[in-house]
Amino acid sequence: MRTTVGIIGAGPAGLVLARLLHNAGIDSVVLESRDRAYVEQRQRAGILEQGTVDVLRAAGAAERMDREGLRHDGIELRFAKRRHRVDFPALTGGKSVMVYAQTEVCKDLIALQLKEGGPLLFEAEALAVEDADSDHPRVLFRHEGREEVLECDYVVGCDGFWGVARKAVPAALSRTFERTYPFGWLGILADVAPSHDELVYARHDRGFALLSMRSLSVSRLYLQVPAGTDADSWGDDEIWDELERRLETDDDWRLRRGPITQKSVTPMRSYVHEPMRHGRLFLAGDAAHIVPPTGAKGLNLAVGDVVTFARALVHRRETGSERLLDAYSATCLRRVWQAERFSYDMTTLLHRAPDATPFEDRLQLARLERIAGNRAAETDLAEAYTGFPLD
């Protein structure tokens, strides 16, 4: 089997890239180790930046998102029982975000790829990337019980932290930067209408809480818990009671309760691999970087990576110049590090460390007071949350 671009992984990064390449008239093959049902059901991110929304619309993949997604023009910060709304359009020149789950993005893109695009092979496990530093890299993969070879001009690894793509970058050329946090998020899905029409980020002495949603009838909520917590160790009433405490306000706001349909614990870590390119192998998304979910950046960073690659490949076809492909890693990493910085800032602003001192508690409150009372500080948060430029 031969193609121009071999894409490993059918998460949002791989699927968006396949769509962008299809629209540009560049052929690709997508290899996904899981089956279609798994890809369309795995719960991940739910916030799309303005730039991601624009990319999906331009790619012809936004019909259902525009019909069913929830546009949000702000978030609410809660601290010391106070409420402060950050107005995105007023602070960013009109930008907003969209609440539309990763599962739904993947469903839409899979349907388009199977209808209009190149091959998308499920249960096709990539085993290795060979000859990445040559003009003809190869992906070895197993599909339907047979080992096969995909010969490519370029390989884009969108196969996550545990995938094979990053392993093809020689260790001598790799640098990694990481931080592991001593807490995680206990997340729940609940069949109850959201208790607020926008996301609520709460800093509390007992730990962080987030009120989010998947739709007008399904709530998504999170609690900061110690690292290594077993989700099943928390009873349903215990979860609701703790959410109520951490989200409490000094007005008449109330938390709506309902049946909890899913519980899980998400670890918190920051990770960056440099470089994001080796020869004709390009890393994208979690294969190259991970952010804590506090800043809602993971999926959006992955989309930024593949937009950068697609633009560079089209530029090469139109001009013969490798300049943008050569600049891929540096271009992506500028945006990645800004997102890492913002995610770290949001995490340390809102989460209470296990060994936090009263001094550090006061600093957190002072930082929140600064955002609530200073337009420049508030604008910096709004611009970062709605998304860094894709250029």
Side-chain angles (χ1 to χ4, degrees):
M1 186 180 296
R2 199 185 191 295
T3 190
T4 301
V5 181
I7 302 171
I8 308 175
L15 293 168
V16 169
L17 178 57
R19 183 65 183 173
L20 295 175
L21 296 176
H22 168 76
N23 289 347
I26 299 171
D27 62 291
S28 69
V29 173
V30 183
L31 305 176
E32 168 56 47
S33 63
R34 303 282 193 164
D35 62 27
R36 180 177 179 177
Y38 180 89
V39 175
E40 293 185 339
Q41 292 171 10
R42 55 186 169 195
Q43 293 290 333
R44 294 290 189 273
I47 305 296
L48 308 182
E49 295 175 353
Q50 182 70 65
T52 298
V53 170
D54 294 343
V55 166
L56 292 173
R57 286 173 177 159
E63 180 184 355
R64 194 161 67 94
M65 177 194 73
D66 283 332
R67 186 174 67 248
E68 300 178 10
L70 305 175
R71 170 179 164 146
H72 281 202
D73 287 335
I75 58 171
E76 183 172 289
L77 300 176
R78 290 190 186 178
F79 57 100
K81 298 185 181 180
R82 291 176 48 194
R83 306 170 65 177
H84 175 76
R85 182 175 184 268
V86 179
D87 186 332
F88 292 155
L91 295 163
T92 65
K95 293 166 68 175
S96 63
V97 297
M98 183 78 74
V99 175
Y100 191 63
Q102 174 176 315
T103 50
E104 306 311 307
V105 173
C106 287
K107 288 175 187 175
D108 296 343
L109 290 166
I110 287 170
L112 283 170
Q113 184 70 10
L114 294 176
K115 180 181 179 182
E116 303 174 4
L120 166 53
L121 305 181
F122 291 103
E123 298 181 85
E125 180 188 4
L127 304 173
V129 177
E130 294 185 341
D131 302 327
D133 57 352
S134 75
D135 290 342
H136 301 289
R138 300 150 29 104
V139 182
L140 308 186
F141 68 101
R142 183 182 295 112
H143 184 237
E144 296 180 344
R146 300 187 305 274
E147 291 194 5
E148 301 190 35
V149 176
L150 177 62
E151 298 181 349
C152 320
D153 293 331
Y154 304 91
V155 175
V156 182
C158 306
D159 51 344
F161 182 79
W162 300 107
V164 302
R166 192 179 65 254
K167 297 173 184 175
V169 181
L173 303 178
S174 300
R175 296 185 69 196
T176 59
F177 308 83
E178 58 186 315
R179 178 186 181 92
T180 301
Y181 297 86
F183 42 75
W185 280 10
L186 170 62
I188 64 166
L189 280 174
D191 285 338
V192 61
S195 301
H196 192 58
D197 56 1
E198 293 178 334
L199 272 67
V200 176
Y201 289 77
R203 186 268 172 205
H204 193 278
D205 285 342
R206 295 175 64 90
F208 168 75
L210 172 61
L211 187 160
S212 182
M213 63 205 69
R214 282 293 177 262
S215 70
L216 294 176
S217 60
V218 177
S219 292
R220 182 74 159 153
L221 302 106
Y222 298 92
L223 286 170
Q224 176 188 341
V225 294
T229 294
D230 179 359
D232 292 332
S233 67
W234 283 72
D236 290 7
D237 289 341
E238 186 182 9
I239 291 172
W240 287 119
D241 289 346
E242 190 63 23
L243 284 165
E244 206 162 67
R245 277 190 288 267
R246 298 189 194 183
L247 292 164
E248 184 182 8
T249 63
D250 56 10
D251 57 18
D252 60 356
W253 179 87
R254 293 292 178 268
L255 177 68
R256 296 177 181 143
R257 300 188 178 204
I260 294 175
T261 59
Q262 185 182 108
K263 300 178 193 175
S264 61
V265 172
T266 301
M268 304 280 282
R269 64 190 297 240
S270 303
Y271 175 88
V272 179
H273 178 280
E274 295 185 2
M276 290 176 58
R277 176 197 181 185
H278 172 58
R280 292 200 169 195
L281 167 66
F282 297 77
L283 304 179
D286 286 0
H289 43 74
I290 294 171
V291 290
T294 325
K297 288 284 165 272
L299 179 155
N300 297 290
L301 271 183
V303 170
D305 294 342
V306 297
V307 167
T308 301
F309 174 80
R311 287 175 176 171
L313 195 56
V314 170
H315 179 78
R316 182 191 182 282
R317 183 184 64 185
E318 294 178 348
T319 68
S321 171
E322 300 268 350
R323 180 177 61 86
L324 296 186
L325 287 169
D326 291 342
Y328 172 81
S329 184
T331 301
C332 290
L333 285 169
R334 281 194 295 272
R335 194 166 183 269
V336 166
W337 277 112
Q338 285 301 318
E340 292 284 357
R341 185 271 306 170
F342 174 67
S343 299
Y344 173 82
D345 285 350
M346 287 285 283
T347 300
T348 57
L349 173 69
L350 296 164
H351 293 73
R352 193 170 192 276
D355 58 351
T357 64
F359 178 82
E360 290 165 323
D361 290 336
R362 293 295 192 200
L363 284 182
Q364 281 186 320
L365 293 172
R367 291 167 64 191
L368 286 160
E369 292 278 5
R370 176 70 173 172
I371 293 168
N374 181 273
R375 187 175 178 86
E378 191 179 20
T379 298
D380 183 63
L381 187 155
E383 288 180 342
Y385 196 96
T386 55
F388 301 106
L390 291 176
D391 297 335

